[in-house]
Amino acid sequence: MLPSELIKFKQAGRPITILTAWDSLSSSLVEEAGADVVLVGDSLAMVALGHATTLPITLEQILHHAQAVERGFKKPLNKQPLIVCDLPFLSYQCGEDKAVAAAGTLLKNSSTAAVKIEGAEPEIVEVIKRLVRMGIPVMGHLGLTPQSVRQLGYKRQAEDKSSQERLISQALQLEQASCFSIVLEHVPEELAKEVSNTLRIPIIGIGAGDQCDGQVRVTADLLGLTKKQPPFSQPLIQGRQLFIKALKEWVDQEHNQTTSPTR
Ligand code: KIV
C-alpha cells in the first residue's frame, strides 16, 4: 500500500489505525495486532531512550530504530504495515535541502514509506512541498506538536476561536501542500471533527476525540508501560505492574533456591 492510498479508508468510512514502535519486538506486536501504519515516532526518545522530551533524538537514532522496526515484521511485504518515521527536531526546520537529505536518508536506508513533520509555518509548508516534489510522502502534525514543547508545553491546544480558525487554515494549507494525512494531537473534539469533515485527506487523532478518520497511539502508553501516562491516552492494561510482578516472581523464586556455597 502507498501512503496516498490511506485516503481510500477515509472514503470508505473505515477508521485508520496507527501504533508506534521503536524496535523489532514492539513492531512485531503491532504488526500482529493488524495496525495499518507503524509510526517510528520521535516519542521513542522518551519511551525507549529515557529523555525528558523528544528534542534530543537524532536522525541517525531514528534510522537505527526504523531499521529495527522493519526487521520485526514477519508478514509478506504487501501485508506489512506502512512505516512512517518522524523527522527529528532540526532535521527539517533549517531549510528544504537539509529536509530532503534527512528524509531521503530514511527512505534510502530503511523501508520507511513516508515522513512526519510538525507544524505549518510558511517555511514548513515550503519544506513539505519540496519533499513531495522529490517523491517523499509527508504526513503533517498539528495541535500539540511536542518538538515545540519549550513554546507550547504539553497542554491542550486550540482552545479559543481564533486559534481554532488558525488550525483549520493550517490544516487546509497542509492538504494543499499534498500531505497525505495529518495527525491532530490534543485539541478539542469538536475542532477535530470539523477538520476531519472539511479535509479530503485522513485526519488521525490522538487526544482529539473519536470523530477523526483514524487514531494513533503510543504503544507503550496503550500497554500501560510508560511511567508518565499522557492524560488523553488511557492504558488498556497495566503492563508495568504485570511485567514487574512476573519478573519479581522469577527473581524471588531464584533467590529462594539453595545453591552449594563456595568455600
Ligand atoms: O512521536 C510520536 O509518537 C507521535 C505520536 C504521538 C503521534 O508523534
Side-chain angles (χ1 to χ4, degrees):
M1 183 174 58
L2 295 171
S4 57
E5 291 178 281
L6 284 175
I7 198 167
K8 288 186 193 159
F9 292 131
K10 174 167 182 155
Q11 288 162 347
R14 142 69 157 87
I16 297 163
T17 49
I18 306 185
L19 286 169
T20 67
W22 51 93
D23 61 7
S24 305
L25 183 60
S26 54
S27 70
S28 72
L29 298 176
V30 169
E31 183 192 49
E32 288 227 11
D36 302 310
V37 176
V38 166
L39 175 66
V40 183
D42 57 4
S43 59
L44 79 84
M46 300 161 85
V47 168
L49 303 180
H51 291 296
T53 70
T54 60
L55 299 180
I57 198 159
T58 65
L59 182 69
E60 291 68 30
Q61 287 170 323
I62 291 279
L63 176 60
H64 174 79
H65 285 272
Q67 289 168 336
V69 161
E70 140 185 15
R71 287 193 292 268
F73 292 161
K74 292 291 166 281
K75 291 187 180 172
L77 217 55
N78 63 346
K79 298 251 163 30
Q80 291 177 9
L82 274 184
I83 299 181
V84 177
C85 281
D86 263 332
L87 277 188
F89 183 56
L90 285 197
S91 68
Y92 60 94
Q93 288 90 344
C94 302
E96 297 170 30
D97 289 350
K98 227 180 146 191
V100 173
T105 299
L106 296 174
L107 267 68
K108 197 178 168 84
N109 297 295
S110 71
S111 302
T112 299
V115 295
K116 178 162 77 59
I117 287 186
E118 295 183 7
E121 295 310 316
E123 296 87 345
I124 299 294
V125 173
E126 289 312 309
V127 162
I128 292 171
K129 287 183 185 162
R130 171 85 175 274
L131 286 171
V132 174
R133 277 205 309 279
M134 295 301 112
I136 301 172
V138 180
M139 174 180 256
H141 186 155
L142 295 175
L144 173 56
T145 46
Q147 291 179 16
S148 303
V149 60
R150 302 293 183 221
Q151 200 163 43
L152 305 178
Y154 285 123
K155 64 178 192 302
R156 197 158 86 135
Q157 299 298 307
E159 298 273 28
D160 60 81
K161 191 79 192 136
S162 74
S163 44
Q164 293 179 357
E165 283 167 4
R166 183 164 175 265
L167 190 142
I168 293 170
S169 131
Q170 288 185 326
L172 284 165
Q173 284 176 55
L174 293 188
E175 178 168 89
Q176 278 154 19
S178 297
C179 280
F180 67 88
S181 172
I182 300 173
V183 165
L184 209 45
E185 180 167 355
H186 210 13
V187 297
E189 182 167 350
E190 276 307 307
L191 174 65
K193 184 178 168 189
E194 187 176 345
V195 176
S196 303
N197 290 339
T198 307
L199 268 67
R200 207 177 45 87
I201 58 172
I203 303 302
I204 312 296
I206 173 164
D210 56 8
Q211 303 290 308
C212 299
D213 306 306
Q215 294 289 329
V216 54
R217 292 292 182 276
V218 173
T219 299
D221 291 341
L222 271 193
L223 297 179
L225 294 174
T226 28
K227 282 192 199 152
K228 219 170 144 209
Q229 200 79 23
F232 51 80
S233 182
Q234 291 311 307
L236 297 174
I237 54 166
Q238 298 300 328
R240 244 185 103 70
Q241 281 96 312
L242 286 172
F243 283 9
I244 292 170
K245 185 169 175 282
L247 294 175
K248 191 172 178 335
E249 272 169 24
W250 180 84
V251 168
D252 291 348
Q253 187 185 305
E254 290 305 309
H255 284 166
N256 289 335
Q257 302 263 3
T258 44
T259 52
S260 30
T262 47
R263 289 166 203 246

